[in-house]
Amino acid sequence: MAKLHRLISVVLRLAAAGAAAAAAIIMVTSHETTSFFGIEMEAKYSYIPSFVFFVVAFAVAFAYSLLVLFVRPGSTASRLVLLSDVIVGMLLVGAVAAAGAISDIGRNGNEHAGWLPICGQVRAYCGHVMGALIAGFVSLVVYFLIIMYSLHAVAAPLCSCH
């Protein structure tokens, strides 16, 4: 039974690492230059602090997911894994929320503030950002599953209800 738990944990962590890496890579490759009324406009992820935060958060999640694979179950370090999983999950929630808010303004603008949407002019850029957000959300869901599974694995020995 312990091997099955370890296998499920490894599969979930590899899925989380893959989705986190995809989210970061897709966001980093979001770049487009276009001309708008004769003015050249360049859209890059690095121009928006929320997108930079997104890339850093998902790079950290990717590295953490791979590092945790080397922690032996039952070791002293394994006791900190659940807490670290929750912290990484919160980091990813913040990154997806921040990038999602900025991408919504880019797509729809904000007429109250007088901000115009830009996605009509840089469609490929906005498509990349949307792809990164989708991959980020998948990674976030997998992290939620990891946390729920870890909680179950920690609580199962304490509960006499099985």
Side-chain angles (χ1 to χ4, degrees):
M1 193 61 152
K3 286 187 179 187
L4 178 64
H5 287 300
R6 180 70 178 157
L7 177 65
I8 292 171
S9 177
V10 167
V11 168
L12 285 172
R13 290 194 186 281
L14 288 175
I25 290 168
I26 293 169
M27 185 64 84
V28 166
T29 60
S30 62
H31 175 270
E32 185 176 359
T33 303
T34 189
S35 182
F36 184 64
F37 293 120
I39 299 171
E40 191 168 293
M41 183 173 85
E42 183 180 32
K44 259 177 125 169
Y45 90 96
S46 61
Y47 295 161
I48 301 171
S50 294
F51 291 170
V52 173
F53 171 56
F54 182 92
V55 169
V56 170
F58 279 92
V60 166
F62 169 72
Y64 169 76
S65 296
L66 294 181
L67 287 174
V68 169
L69 292 174
F70 297 105
V71 175
R72 287 182 309 135
S75 68
T76 307
S78 71
R79 295 178 185 179
L80 295 174
V81 169
L82 178 59
L83 176 65
S84 301
D85 287 342
V86 171
I87 291 169
V88 169
M90 289 188 306
L91 178 70
L92 296 183
V93 166
V96 169
I102 294 299
S103 69
D104 181 62
I105 290 172
R107 183 169 299 282
N108 301 318
N110 185 327
E111 61 184 60
H112 300 292
W115 298 335
L116 299 174
I118 65 159
C119 285
Q121 288 75 37
V122 285
R123 293 186 195 281
Y125 172 75
C126 289
H128 261 87
V129 169
M130 183 59 67
L133 285 170
I134 290 169
F137 189 73
V138 167
S139 179
L140 187 60
V141 168
V142 174
Y143 260 96
F144 176 76
L145 293 174
I146 288 171
I147 292 168
M148 291 299 109
Y149 187 75
S150 296
L151 282 172
H152 172 71
V154 168
L158 302 176
C159 180
S160 62
C161 51
H162 295 303

